Amino acid sequence: RELLEKVYSSQAVEQALSILVRGRSEETERFRCRQAELRRKADFDELTGIYNRSTFYKKVVELFKLYPKDNFVIIRLNVERFKLINDLFGEETGDRLLRYIAEKLADAQFEYSTYGRMHSDNFVICFPLRGSNQMEFIGTIQQDMEQALPSYKVAMTFGIYYVNNKNISVSTMCDRAGLALQQIKGNYMKSYNVYDERMRRAILQEQDIVNEMNSALSGGQFRVYLQPKYDIVTEQIVGAEALARWIHPEKGLISPAVFIPAFERNGFIMELDIYIWEIVCRLLRKWIDAGYDPQPISVNVSRLDLYRTDLCDVLNNMVKKYNLDPGLLQLELTESAYTENPQQIIEVTKQLQKMGFPILMDDFGSGYSSLNMLKDISVDVLKIDLHFLDSQDESGRGGNILNSVVRMAECLKIPVIAEGVETKQQADFMRDIGCYCVQGYYYSKPIGVEEYEALMNSI
Ligand code: C2E
Ligand code: CA
Ligand code: CA
């Protein structure tokens, strides 16, 4: 100022300085606004204006601190087939739907609660159990959804986690609610699911399996068990099914029911299947070389294998390598694979049959469109699993269904194998309705290769 006043009048300096200061404070104000805007962007979900995931986590912690004595629930909400809604009505409508859901969360009547959007069509809410009914909340949201779109019924699914331990992170709590939600994906009968500890244990178990599977395969821990198939009249063995077993050095024998679903989820089943097929081919070659005329062995072909473009080559090379008639290696394709992608399966099946591999349709009757599909695909054998019948009593509905399936197969000239035959009664019934091939505990459980060889020798 002193310097300026030497040159300019003090009034002019006063004016200039006041402009400067005002300017600066305007700038400060603008800066503050920008900061607030950035913070808002960081804290809130841009599309819906409600909290985003990380703010939701923070707000839940605050809620827990404010009401330390209360029990809370965290519910994840998901729009069923949201992609389809976007495809059918356009993304703008999809966005509008998401904003609508956010509004409904805001409208929910709780004494206190906090909610946010996790990602895309996934929302989350946390509220105290005291004084609020979580089922009522779910019901209200479902009702609201009926009016969400004029010509489409929007379905929501809910994953529920009752917060029983506030010491774990909120993100873990949300993962647990998410896990409960995941488990109802594709289950049209169920719209909500509650997290329980078993789910966590299942995840941990699956993690163990995934960690160990590669070394288990290279370490020879997977073995083949053979379950004989019998001719019901002669009671002679007419073949066997190869079933995988994991002989774990510490845990002992692990059943396929434990590891096959995990392998199907992570794709490892394709490696295991090839490994099993090769063991079976080697066995068949060994028996032939020893002077036997072996019965065919069927192997399981996972639905994932059917998506391999080189499946036919792999199998063809395998039988060539061991110089086997492909007729000795029967392929069991599960019926549900047929319903998933019929066109692809029809093509692959045709090719495999042309190469000489017999095709067995496994678990026939477990899916939905099997009857309808039989006219389009050609299979060599139908396997009916007696488990899939609701009623075990042969004289009742279950028996009638079995009877008609066998009749129908007869008309189509497709042989039938009944599996899961556990009692003499069931065996007699199958014989009476004209099904002469059986596999099941009543005849033999799956057995080790040596035991099967002893059985072969005894015939
Ligand atoms: P699956 O192909 O339907 O095999 C028949 C299952 O029923 C076998 O179970 C067998 O042990 C069981 N079983 C046979 N007879 C009876 C009976 O009388 N009563 C009862 N309750 N069960 C009977 P397992 O060996 O536990 O295999 C389960 C499933 O795992 C198989 O069902 C198959 O889908 C899959 N699996 C097994 N090994 C392999 C494999 O190497 N590759 C693939 N992709 N899947 C496999
Ligand atoms: Ca099978
Ligand atoms: Ca089966």
Side-chain angles (χ1 to χ4, degrees), residues 142-257:
Q142 279 173 326
Q143 245 170 16
D144 289 337
M145 285 307 123
E146 289 184 4
Q147 279 112 49
L149 294 177
S151 54
Y152 181 94
K153 190 168 178 293
V154 180
M156 298 280 287
T157 45
F158 305 82
I160 304 173
Y161 173 65
Y162 293 108
V163 181
N164 52 13
N165 172 8
K166 287 191 188 139
N167 295 322
I168 59 172
S169 70
V170 178
S171 95
T172 304
M173 296 176 191
C174 289
D175 285 349
R176 291 183 175 184
L179 210 62
L181 185 66
Q182 249 174 39
Q183 303 224 329
I184 37 172
K185 270 255 163 74
N187 180 345
Y188 301 111
M189 307 302 288
K190 219 171 164 183
S191 61
Y192 69 89
N193 194 22
V194 180
Y195 169 86
D196 74 41
E197 272 303 295
R198 271 174 304 184
M199 290 182 196
R200 196 173 73 89
R201 280 201 293 275
I203 297 276
L204 290 178
Q205 188 188 36
E206 181 150 341
Q207 201 51 52
D208 275 352
I209 288 175
V210 171
N211 291 342
E212 294 183 84
M213 61 190 187
N214 283 300
S215 57
L217 188 69
S218 54
Q221 291 175 23
F222 289 102
R223 304 272 168 78
V224 166
Y225 271 46
L226 295 169
Q227 186 174 33
K229 298 171 188 172
Y230 285 86
D231 179 310
I232 214 165
V233 179
T234 62
E235 300 211 328
Q236 295 287 309
I237 293 178
V238 291
E241 173 176 8
L243 293 157
R245 295 286 179 270
W246 182 346
I247 316 289
H248 193 279
E250 283 127 40
K251 296 174 193 152
L253 193 146
I254 308 177
S255 141

Side-chain angles (χ1 to χ4, degrees), residues 328-347:
L328 285 175
L329 191 70
Q330 301 176 325
L331 308 176
E332 296 200 4
L333 273 59
T334 171
E335 189 219 80
S336 55
Y338 287 85
T339 36
E340 233 170 57
N341 191 349
Q343 211 43 51
Q344 163 109 0
I345 309 290
I346 291 170
E347 288 307 313

Side-chain angles (χ1 to χ4, degrees), residues 241 243 300 332 362 383 419:
E241 173 176 8
L243 293 157
N300 288 286
E332 296 200 4
D362 202 358
K383 285 191 89 170
E419 68 175 325

